[in-house]
Amino acid sequence: MSETGPLGIIAGAGSFPLALARAATAQGRPVFALLLKGIAGPDLEAYPHAWIGIGQFGAMVAQAKKAGCRDLVLIGSLVRPNLWTTVPDLGGLRVLPDIVRLFRGGDDHLLRGIAGIFERHGFRLLGAHEVAPELLMPKGPLGALRPSEADEEDIALARQAIAALGPYDVGQGMVIGSRRIVAVEGAEGTDGMLDRCATMLAAGRLKWPRGSGILVKAPKPEQDRRIDMPAIGPGTVAKAAAAGLKGIAVVAGSTLVVDVQEVIRLADRHGLFVTGVSAGETP
Amino acid sequence: MSETGPLGIIAGAGSFPLALARAATAQGRPVFALLLKGIAGPDLEAYPHAWIGIGQFGAMVAQAKKAGCRDLVLIGSLVRPNLWTTVPDLGGLRVLPDIVRLFRGGDDHLLRGIAGIFERHGFRLLGAHEVAPELLMPKGPLGALRPSEADEEDIALARQAIAALGPYDVGQGMVIGSRRIVAVEGAEGTDGMLDRCATMLAAGRLKWPRGSGILVKAPKPEQDRRIDMPAIGPGTVAKAAAAGLKGIAVVAGSTLVVDVQEVIRLADRHGLFVTGVSAGETP
């Protein structure tokens, strides 16, 4: 299949949608932004765009087709939409029974279903990494520091635990230190989990000295990376530092990194390592 | 082995130590309380007792022997002791290398090791449930409400996920609703996890209507129930209600319930079910 028309970016919150738009533009590919009302920021208003309510599936399809998009990328964090306050349009009403059914499962289930619905409408859903591989975490440390051998053992243990939780559609992220998992990511997200660690550290509930724990993020085994790729950015480093951690480990090639220069600068400043571990190393 | 001497209760925080002391006394068995400084409350000062620092293992052994205790029960929540501020006595110094090694693992590992150390000093370590089975959760609902069939499915799913995490020594508790696990218990404990759910509910991060989620607690597969038994009490019910949950499910016969009448009263008042599921039902 050849690339035809502009890249349609369905944009959620955060800085990834803009990073992707810039990367596509740098490749000479035009962008059309479908900005989710109440979720996306105004960053992409500089590009051709339309604001769309999250339930306005009919409008989304119509706008994307009118703009000549065939390829779509879903990117940015998506606060789980509230079905009780969402007002669907006609297209939305038609897919609503599907969506309601999807909502009975976890995030993976939901997002895979949404991808399927787009594909049945003739779009091709791409992962951000397929469009802009330069946004992906490389293997090895980004900044000046690297994990110790003991850290590598902790990282391996956390990755095993994340894999064990895979079938239950919970937890891309954990915080581990000295062989002990102290936090598992749930609906609060990575930032919420790191805030919790900062609170536990301040309250003396985490008994380790500052600079002891590691944030480990890995895709769940069944995760569709076109629609729910683990991601880190400068905000992740800042929160990990506030939680007193010593490092961040993510899976190389399967994690988006936004603003990599700022990530490196902050990691070096706070004395954290940020490292890409290879997907095949899970024991 | 016959029961000899008073029951030694090594008391951590919370109301379980007192509940156990009362149950033992009601059976006509004298009690000697070893109250952990900075952790235990003053409730047990009405009984023969000694206050002991958590590192004062030598004093603990000496006091327990002097009081004629042969059977010990570790009960109450134990904030993970801070090895950097603990001042050990001579007996504590002798076991310190063991303890430091134990601390490299998770809680299970730590607690099993401590049990072993006591046993090598000639004590018999009992579970609270062996001394006072009336403190255990019975099978079925405690109050007026019971889980629906859909709730039973959620409970089964959460129990599977808890079992999957068993080898990683994290998570006796989860919060689940509509097939989705939204919170996994880490070092913050059950109360901390319920507070987080309340916060997420208030912030619109949990998109369910009030009365939708279930707290599920189950012992980890390898858990030594003499030293780390899941527990609930009126505080658990109050926090579950504040988090907007519809119920609490724990494993019957493997969970301590403190102040069962108050648990029932609060559950009925807040419209929650509190139910004991049988250990054998894990799919």
Side-chain angles (χ1 to χ4, degrees):
Chain A
M1 273 182 273
S2 65
E3 290 175 5
T4 52
L7 178 68
I9 299 180
I10 303 174
S15 45
F16 284 106
L18 182 61
L20 179 66
R22 283 181 174 155
T25 306
Q27 291 164 24
R29 182 154 196 200
V31 158
F32 182 75
L34 291 148
L35 305 175
L36 296 176
K37 281 184 199 166
I39 299 174
D43 293 347
L44 285 167
E45 288 190 325
Y47 297 84
H49 68 277
W51 284 95
I52 305 284
I54 192 141
Q56 321 294 305
F57 188 78
M60 209 181 289
V61 165
Q63 290 276 8
K65 288 197 168 158
K66 199 174 93 185
C69 300
R70 167 159 162 63
D71 294 344
L72 297 178
V73 177
L74 279 166
I75 190 164
S77 55
L78 216 143
V79 179
R80 204 174 173 79
N82 191 335
L83 279 186
W84 284 267
T85 60
T86 302
V87 182
D89 65 5
L90 200 60
L93 274 180
R94 247 179 248 125
V95 297
L96 202 58
D98 288 336
I99 303 269
V100 169
R101 194 159 32 75
L102 293 171
F103 261 84
R104 294 180 51 217
D107 273 343
D108 283 356
H109 187 59
L110 172 67
L111 292 171
R112 259 200 301 274
I114 289 174
I117 295 172
F118 275 113
E119 288 178 349
R120 284 199 297 280
H121 279 76
F123 296 100
R124 188 169 67 156
L125 199 70
L126 301 178
H129 58 294
E130 296 173 84
V131 176
E134 66 269 34
L135 296 178
L136 286 177
M137 180 73 184
K139 190 157 153 39
L142 281 184
L145 296 167
R146 56 178 61 236
S148 69
E149 267 185 46
D151 295 337
E152 302 278 11
E153 286 175 38
D154 275 352
I155 294 165
L157 186 62
R159 289 182 67 194
Q160 286 176 36
I162 292 170
L165 271 186
Y168 304 98
D169 197 6
V170 61
Q172 290 185 336
M174 296 195 180
V175 173
I176 187 168
S178 306
R179 302 303 91 79
R180 182 164 185 250
I181 295 163
V182 298
V184 179
E185 184 178 330
E188 77 282 5
T190 304
D191 283 1
M193 177 177 63
L194 291 174
D195 288 345
R196 175 160 94 243
C197 290
T199 305
M200 288 195 286
L201 185 72
R205 183 112 197 186
L206 290 185
K207 299 297 184 182
W208 57 37
R210 280 203 158 257
S212 299
I214 304 168
L215 166 65
V216 181
K217 290 189 71 159
K220 288 166 279 183
E222 297 297 306
Q223 194 164 330
D224 186 335
R225 290 168 203 188
R226 290 174 311 165
I227 40 182
D228 189 22
M229 178 90 109
I232 58 167
T236 320
V237 180
K239 281 192 182 287
L245 303 190
K246 73 185 295 186
I248 298 173
V250 300
V251 175
S254 301
T255 309
L256 294 171
V257 187
V258 77
D259 203 348
V260 67
Q261 289 312 319
E262 181 65 5
V263 164
I264 291 171
R265 196 187 66 78
L266 277 180
D268 286 349
R269 198 179 97 195
H270 290 297
L272 269 75
F273 65 78
V274 178
T275 196
V277 296
S278 82
E281 275 169 17
T282 323
Chain B
M1 273 183 275
S2 65
E3 289 175 7
T4 52
L7 178 68
I9 299 181
I10 303 173
S15 44
F16 283 106
L18 183 61
L20 178 66
R22 283 181 174 155
T25 306
Q27 292 165 23
R29 181 151 197 201
V31 158
F32 182 75
L34 292 149
L35 306 174
L36 296 175
K37 281 184 198 166
I39 300 174
D43 293 348
L44 284 168
E45 288 190 327
Y47 298 84
H49 69 278
W51 283 94
I52 306 282
I54 191 139
Q56 320 296 305
F57 188 78
M60 210 181 289
V61 165
Q63 290 277 6
K65 288 196 168 158
K66 198 174 93 185
C69 301
R70 166 156 166 66
D71 295 344
L72 296 177
V73 177
L74 280 167
I75 190 165
S77 54
L78 215 144
V79 178
R80 202 174 176 78
N82 191 336
L83 279 187
W84 284 267
T85 61
T86 301
V87 182
D89 65 7
L90 200 61
L93 275 179
R94 246 178 250 126
V95 298
L96 203 58
D98 289 336
I99 302 271
V100 169
R101 194 160 31 75
L102 294 170
F103 262 84
R104 295 180 50 217
D107 273 342
D108 283 357
H109 186 58
L110 171 66
L111 293 170
R112 259 200 302 272
I114 288 175
I117 294 172
F118 275 115
E119 288 178 350
R120 285 200 296 281
H121 279 77
F123 296 100
R124 187 168 68 157
L125 199 72
L126 301 178
H129 57 293
E130 297 174 82
V131 177
E134 66 269 35
L135 296 178
L136 288 177
M137 181 73 185
K139 191 159 155 38
L142 281 183
L145 296 166
R146 57 178 62 235
S148 69
E149 267 185 45
D151 296 335
E152 303 277 12
E153 286 175 39
D154 276 352
I155 293 165
L157 187 61
R159 289 181 66 193
Q160 285 176 37
I162 291 171
L165 272 186
Y168 305 98
D169 196 6
V170 59
Q172 291 185 336
M174 296 196 179
V175 173
I176 188 168
S178 306
R179 303 302 91 79
R180 182 164 185 249
I181 295 163
V182 298
V184 179
E185 184 178 330
E188 77 283 5
T190 304
D191 283 2
M193 177 177 63
L194 291 174
D195 288 345
R196 174 160 96 243
C197 290
T199 304
M200 288 195 285
L201 185 72
R205 183 111 199 187
L206 290 185
K207 298 299 185 180
W208 56 37
R210 279 201 159 260
S212 299
I214 304 169
L215 166 65
V216 181
K217 290 189 72 160
K220 290 167 277 183
E222 296 298 306
Q223 193 164 331
D224 185 334
R225 290 168 203 188
R226 291 173 309 165
I227 40 183
D228 190 25
M229 179 89 109
I232 58 166
T236 320
V237 179
K239 282 193 181 286
L245 303 190
K246 71 186 296 185
I248 297 173
V250 299
V251 175
S254 302
T255 309
L256 294 171
V257 187
V258 76
D259 203 350
V260 66
Q261 290 311 319
E262 181 64 6
V263 165
I264 292 171
R265 196 187 67 78
L266 276 180
D268 287 349
R269 196 179 99 194
H270 290 297
L272 268 76
F273 65 78
V274 178
T275 196
V277 296
S278 80
E281 274 170 16
T282 323

